[in-house]
Amino acid sequence: MLLGLGAGTVTAAIAARAFSPFVVVGSAIIDLTPGPMKEAVIRVFGHGDKAFLFVVLAVVVGVVAALAGVLEARRPWLGRVIVLAGGAIGVAAALSRADATALAALPAVVTGIAGAWVLVFLIRRMPAAVPPRAQTSPSRRAFLSWSVAAAAIGVVATIGGQLATRTASAAANARAAFKLPRPAASATPVPAAASFDVSGITPVITPLDKFYRTDVELVIPQLDPEQWSLNVHGMVKHPFTLSWKELNELPMEEHYVTLACVSNDVGGPLISTAKWLGYPVRLLLERAGVTGDADMVYSESFDGYTAATPLSAMTDPDRAAILAIGMDDQPLPFARGFPARLVVPGLYGYVSATKWVVDLKVTRFADYQGYWVTQGWAEKAPVKQSSRIDVPRPGVRLGAGQQWIAGVAWEQHVGISKVEVQVDDGPWNEAELAAAVNVDTWVQWRWSWHATPGDHQLRVRATNADGVQQTSGVSDVLPDGATGWHTVEVSVA
Ligand SMILES: Nc1nc2c(c(=O)[nH]1)N[C@H]1C(S)=C(S)[C@@H](COP(=O)(O)O)O[C@H]1N2
Ligand SMILES: [Mo]
């Protein structure tokens, strides 16, 4: 039983923090306990009320476990059924929580299965009958050793899992209590003219829950900001470590920046825009004093994920490369790198946007490679000029007559000056461009099409602020980003 609970607690720490078997069953008991009884317990035990509950639970679990062992030894199956029924109670308790997630029941399932399995394992190793005068027969000793080992592993796993969960909730509490500092330099507000009133068009600022996400972390890390610090070192005169408190006392800047993933296909969804709050990396590097022939900043997350960013992009006073702590007026969500991440306009995320960043090393491209570069992606990866049709959606049936063709176009840090739309093999038509928020964000466009019955191909291309037209040449996302003109097929009735 201890081993089952340990396995369940570790599962909870990894996959469903709030749903460790003890916690869900305990919470359900609290919910089911009549009010007067609850008050009596609190009166007697005060702040020890939860401890009292857990002691009672532990005793009940111990008695049930002993019973299951005795029964399983006599009648195989019966003990297992009892253990699995215990797991089922845990599942029911987990699913009854208001905040139950898809994985909420998993720790209890693991508890039941691991408990039943170890029960069978031990019973199989139990000596058939203990001769009265041979108390220390080898099989008896082996059985006791296995039992003690299972119990010990269970206790260690339970305590370890519980501690891991506690640390995680310290991070959640810290994030909930954290008030973003007011920006010393606010972003220019998004002009009304940046958004077209076209149904289905991509909003110019992406709602937080719609922002694309890519990372290699299996479980969303929850770092406690009090434990966080940023180490700035390498080819610098004055290496230093920045604490969370120090970071928050620095004057923060707000910037609207579009972030793009190199894995985004032409027309794909892996690109989004947010308002970021952070401190310029350039000023951190100034404080450190870059020396020698450094040409790269090697950023590392707490778990060893890395990115190599050109030093010039980090030190350019005209490029808002920031150590971000806020996203759309909120502390960074955990999935976005809380407490801090990098945002560098104009570079694909894999060479710039390290989340949960804890280390900046000034170095040389010749000496280090970022995580994805070792997997065959390009060393230098500026975001490629592109445009996307969002309206109409591919394959839809439209009515004949006036229809909007609309979408977004971007070349971060350069800007877009023109978007054109082509229907089938017809002429290119200049679309209307919405106001740009700034050169680091995408821009909306729309063109009013007189749709005629039949099947049609719609195609889009952009021209950047330097007059360079988006290439029609098709290239794959590997190694440094996709190119080509986004084409959508629709039929008009
Ligand atoms: N620690 C860490 N940071 C990371 C990644 C990662 O896997 N781990 N992925 C990068 C990639 S490939 C991209 S495109 C961006 C995506 O940021 P987002 O998930 O906030 O959209 O984060 C970057 N930062
Ligand atoms: Mo990415």
Side-chain angles (χ1 to χ4, degrees):
M1 211 62 189
L2 281 171
L3 192 106
L5 285 169
T9 310
V10 169
T11 307
I14 294 170
R17 281 187 185 94
F19 301 95
S20 84
F22 257 112
V23 169
V24 289
V25 174
S27 311
I29 292 175
I30 294 176
D31 289 353
L32 295 175
T33 306
M37 200 162 139
K38 252 189 276 214
E39 277 148 33
V41 170
I42 292 170
R43 220 175 312 119
V44 175
F45 292 97
H47 284 302
D49 54 351
K50 304 276 181 332
F52 170 72
L53 175 68
F54 284 127
V55 169
V56 171
L57 254 179
V59 170
V60 171
V61 166
V63 169
V64 173
L67 189 71
V70 169
L71 288 175
E72 179 78 14
R74 313 238 150 119
R75 278 173 205 276
W77 284 114
L78 206 47
R80 268 170 264 181
V81 166
I82 290 178
V83 174
L84 289 174
I89 291 175
V91 169
L95 295 180
S96 73
R97 307 306 307 159
D99 54 349
T101 58
L103 294 177
L106 190 62
V109 169
V110 169
T111 299
I113 292 174
W117 176 80
V118 81
L119 175 63
V120 173
F121 178 90
L122 289 176
I123 294 287
R124 293 228 170 105
R125 275 156 192 76
M126 197 173 67
V130 185
R133 319 200 78 226
Q135 295 284 313
T136 55
S137 74
S139 61
R140 181 184 163 84
R141 225 177 303 133
F143 171 69
L144 285 177
S145 306
W146 280 116
S147 304
V148 169
I153 294 171
V155 168
V156 169
T158 305
I159 293 174
Q162 213 60 49
L163 284 181
T165 310
R166 179 108 41 87
T167 323
S169 56
N173 291 340
R175 184 175 176 277
F178 174 58
K179 290 250 178 320
L180 271 188
R182 291 171 66 85
S186 302
T188 318
V190 176
S195 303
F196 283 133
D197 183 14
V198 172
S199 142
I201 199 170
T202 303
V204 66
I205 307 303
T206 314
L208 246 183
D209 60 335
K210 297 272 157 45
F211 203 102
Y212 85 95
R213 179 176 160 219
T214 20
D215 50 53
V216 297
E217 280 75 10
L218 195 59
V219 179
I220 297 177
Q222 296 203 358
L223 304 195
D224 181 350
E226 297 306 325
Q227 312 289 324
W228 177 92
S229 63
L230 180 75
N231 192 14
V232 183
H233 64 120
M235 298 168 75
V236 298
K237 280 198 273 299
H238 317 290
F240 65 95
T241 302
L242 189 72
S243 73
W244 177 239
K245 184 163 172 287
E246 287 165 328
L247 171 58
N248 277 282
E249 284 160 0
L250 296 173
M252 295 284 162
E253 297 181 0
E254 256 180 358
H255 295 279
Y256 285 100
V257 177
T258 299
L259 199 63
C261 183
V262 69
S263 303
N264 198 32
D265 284 313
V266 169
L270 302 179
I271 175 165
S272 304
T273 303
K275 182 171 74 176
W276 306 93
L277 178 75
Y279 185 70
V281 176
R282 164 177 48 94
L283 299 181
L284 295 174
L285 295 175
E286 256 171 38
R287 173 173 160 192
V290 175
T291 57
D293 49 2
D295 62 0
M296 186 263 270
V297 175
Y298 194 63
S299 55
E300 190 167 343
S301 69
F302 81 104
D303 58 351
Y305 172 91
T306 55
T309 311
L311 178 65
S312 56
M314 294 296 215
T315 53
D316 178 0
D318 296 324
R319 191 187 302 244
I322 57 171
L323 175 65
I325 60 168
M327 188 176 185
D328 293 338
D329 299 318
Q330 294 183 30
L332 278 183
F334 284 117
R336 306 294 167 181
F338 181 81
R341 74 169 310 162
L342 296 173
V343 175
V344 184
L347 305 181
Y348 284 121
Y350 83 102
V351 292
S352 68
T354 305
K355 305 192 270 190
W356 312 285
V357 64
V358 295
D359 197 282
L360 296 183
K361 182 190 183 97
V362 178
T363 180
R364 296 172 43 76
F365 276 109
D367 297 335
Y368 288 92
Q369 286 189 324
Y371 182 94
W372 287 112
V373 179
T374 65
Q375 316 286 314
W377 297 80
E379 186 174 81
K380 302 278 171 63
V383 177
K384 291 182 179 173
Q385 177 183 20
S386 198
S387 49
R388 187 175 78 188
I389 299 171
D390 294 328
V391 176
R393 300 245 161 253
V396 298
R397 291 182 69 81
L398 296 173
Q402 236 34 69
Q403 296 285 357
W404 286 118
I405 300 177
V408 283
W410 62 89
E411 187 173 0
Q412 283 100 305
H413 210 62
V414 177
I416 294 295
S417 63
K418 183 161 86 175
V419 169
E420 295 162 289
V421 179
Q422 185 188 41
V423 179
D424 303 320
D425 294 323
W428 285 91
N429 308 281
E430 189 163 344
E432 188 185 350
L433 270 188
V437 178
N438 61 48
V439 293
D440 292 329
T441 59
W442 57 17
V443 60
Q444 290 187 350
W445 57 266
R446 70 176 176 189
W447 181 66
S448 177
W449 174 38
H450 186 83
T452 53
D455 292 346
H456 297 288
Q457 272 199 342
L458 313 175
R459 202 168 285 115
V460 64
R461 71 181 185 199
T463 301
N464 75 12
D466 300 330
V468 178
Q469 190 179 86
Q470 182 184 338
T471 178
S472 61
V474 174
S475 57
D476 185 41
V477 294
L478 194 75
D480 64 354
T483 58
W485 292 340
H486 188 211
T487 304
V488 162
E489 303 194 352
V490 294
S491 57
V492 177

